[in-house]
Amino acid sequence: MKAAVLRDPQEGLRVETIKTPRPRSREVLVKVAACGMCHSDLHVIHGKIAFPYPCVLGHEVTGEIVELGSDNDHTGLKVGQKVSGAFLMPCGQCSHCAEGRDDLCDTFFNLNRLQGKLYDGQTRLFGTDGEEIAMYSMGALAQYCVIPSTSVAVLPDDIDLVPGAILGCAAMTAYGAVRRGADLRFGETVAVVATGGVGSNIIQISKAFGASQIIAVDVADDKLEAAKQLGATNVVNSTKEDVHEAVFKLTGGKGVDVAFEALGRPETWESALNALSDGGRMVPIGLGAGVQTAGVEINRTVRRGQSILGSYGARTRVDLPKVIEMAAKGYIDYSRIVTRRFSLEDAGKGYDELAAGKIQGRAVVDMSL
């Protein structure tokens, strides 16, 4: 099969022919329809997040199950089903998974995110000469990928598979931030700092959960205009306005109950914290490029009873089906968020444009191109 392989950050992605993987126990083989393009991949491509080379990236995916591994008797999964694959792949057996905290799965972080392997300690990807190739999640920048059965959910027939690729990361991460991280309540006010793929979905999901005011904060007017179309009640361009002053003016001098940070940069952390009300919750979602730190004003946080609640993904086994249901019912307009499509051969070009801030919403790699 063809796959976009990263061997060296200086060289970028290169499409190669490698062996088609095979599923093992409690896994499925998926023929990839589309794969979303996320900043997390970008950090690996630029060498800012440590990961083994060579590797195949791509961690939000849709496609068709073409083969079942063993021990799938009670999963309900079948060959021919259209599925969404989630980037956060719980082992289902560690202590965190036993508690329902798929987002904290030790096995996923220790084996997959650090070593690029699945849960028997081996990768499923190999070069034609037998060379081992690491997997970032399922390694979906390829024509086929192997995914643990815990991390796939069946899609209804009316979900468009190509833009639907974003459901497994951008939408699921947003759902986890709103439902799990913030525990957003009806009538609360929200700021969303950075309105890319994840931020755009936070806007929609916050609206669905009953937020009374949703303030989008970004550096690009076109992205802010798109945010309004998705449900933002107000917008702030942080290159033209002071975020604190603008948000407090829009909220009658109070600030917002919840501020979501969706990019992972010190300056966006600062903007989110500066938008908070007394007693407010700041929910950071974006991953930083390597080991980054952000300043927090200690006395303000303590005296004003503010909270910082990190949110990584969601609880895959429970939350991915909910995300799919929200998309099927129109609460998540996933098609509107996907504004660009690239072929597998042009994936490197797409990530270059993402790095340059030229992608509004989300881009996907469309395997039919």
Side-chain angles (χ1 to χ4, degrees):
M1 70 172 184
K2 291 183 178 180
V5 180
L6 179 67
R7 296 185 173 276
D8 186 331
Q10 300 301 318
E11 297 178 1
L13 298 177
R14 184 172 62 191
V15 175
E16 300 180 9
T17 298
I18 66 174
K19 291 183 177 180
T20 302
R22 298 294 302 279
R24 300 180 187 175
S25 175
R26 301 178 193 173
E27 298 171 353
V28 297
L29 178 65
V30 171
K31 182 179 181 181
V32 176
C35 177
M37 306 176 76
C38 178
H39 271 93
S40 299
D41 291 326
L42 194 61
H43 293 331
V44 179
I45 291 170
H46 290 169
K48 294 180 179 179
I49 288 182
F51 197 72
Y53 305 122
C55 64
V56 174
L57 303 168
H59 60 264
E60 54 181 19
V61 62
T62 50
E64 178 182 343
I65 295 177
V66 293
E67 184 179 350
L68 295 175
S70 61
D71 305 315
N72 272 298
D73 297 346
H74 304 292
T75 63
L77 298 174
K78 301 175 183 178
V79 170
Q81 289 175 328
K82 305 297 192 300
V83 295
S84 169
F87 83 98
L88 207 165
M89 309 187 305
C91 71
Q93 300 179 22
C94 69
S95 59
H96 289 304
C97 285
E99 295 171 354
R101 292 300 304 270
D102 294 4
D103 54 318
L104 299 178
C105 176
D106 286 327
T107 311
F108 170 72
F109 287 104
N110 293 333
L111 280 176
N112 186 267
R113 273 297 185 262
L114 293 180
Q115 301 180 48
K117 299 176 180 178
L118 289 185
Y119 305 147
D120 59 356
Q122 297 180 352
T123 183
R124 300 293 178 269
L125 297 179
F126 299 90
T128 54
D129 60 355
E131 174 190 34
E132 290 192 1
I133 300 174
M135 308 165 62
Y136 194 72
S137 288
M138 69 288 291
L141 285 174
Q143 293 176 312
Y144 294 87
C145 66
V146 166
I147 313 176
S149 303
T150 55
S151 311
V152 295
V154 178
L155 292 168
D157 292 338
D158 56 355
I159 292 287
D160 188 335
L161 290 185
V162 176
I166 71 167
L167 298 178
C169 177
M172 192 181 80
T173 297
Y175 180 90
V178 176
R179 171 67 181 84
R180 306 293 180 184
D183 190 20
L184 186 68
R185 307 301 174 89
F186 184 88
E188 288 190 310
T189 57
V190 165
V192 182
V193 181
T195 61
V198 174
S200 295
N201 280 289
I202 290 173
I203 291 169
Q204 297 189 92
I205 294 169
S206 295
K207 179 181 178 181
F209 275 54
S212 61
Q213 188 174 16
I214 303 170
I215 303 171
V217 181
D218 208 295
V219 298
D221 287 334
D222 62 330
K223 294 180 180 180
L224 292 171
E225 182 59 37
K228 287 194 287 186
Q229 300 301 315
L230 293 170
T233 57
N234 309 95
V235 298
V236 175
N237 186 319
S238 58
T239 66
K240 300 176 182 178
E241 299 180 81
D242 179 273
V243 172
H244 173 81
E245 292 180 1
V247 170
F248 272 65
K249 182 178 180 181
L250 289 167
T251 55
K254 295 179 180 180
V256 294
D257 297 308
V258 182
F260 296 98
E261 188 284 326
L263 191 56
R265 293 181 179 175
E267 58 268 31
T268 46
W269 264 65
E270 182 179 1
S271 291
L273 288 168
N274 285 341
L276 276 187
S277 65
D278 292 351
R281 290 109 66 200
M282 194 279 248
V283 181
I285 305 113
L287 289 179
V291 180
Q292 289 194 4
T293 59
V296 177
E297 187 178 332
I298 295 172
N299 288 355
R300 181 180 68 181
T301 303
V302 172
R303 288 173 174 165
R304 309 322 299 165
Q306 296 174 334
S307 303
I308 299 174
L309 305 159
S311 179
Y312 185 73
R315 303 180 185 184
T316 302
R317 291 171 292 176
V318 174
D319 293 343
L320 181 58
K322 293 295 184 184
V323 169
I324 292 170
E325 183 180 356
M326 291 185 75
K329 292 182 176 179
Y331 293 109
I332 298 174
D333 188 352
Y334 60 95
S335 295
R336 182 189 292 269
I337 291 173
V338 174
T339 61
R340 300 286 301 279
R341 303 183 185 199
F342 294 90
S343 67
L344 183 62
E345 286 73 15
D346 286 336
K349 183 187 300 182
Y351 281 107
D352 287 343
E353 294 198 25
L354 179 62
K358 296 180 179 179
I359 302 295
Q360 178 185 304
R362 199 68 141 191
V364 299
V365 171
D366 182 347
M367 292 299 171
S368 70
L369 298 178

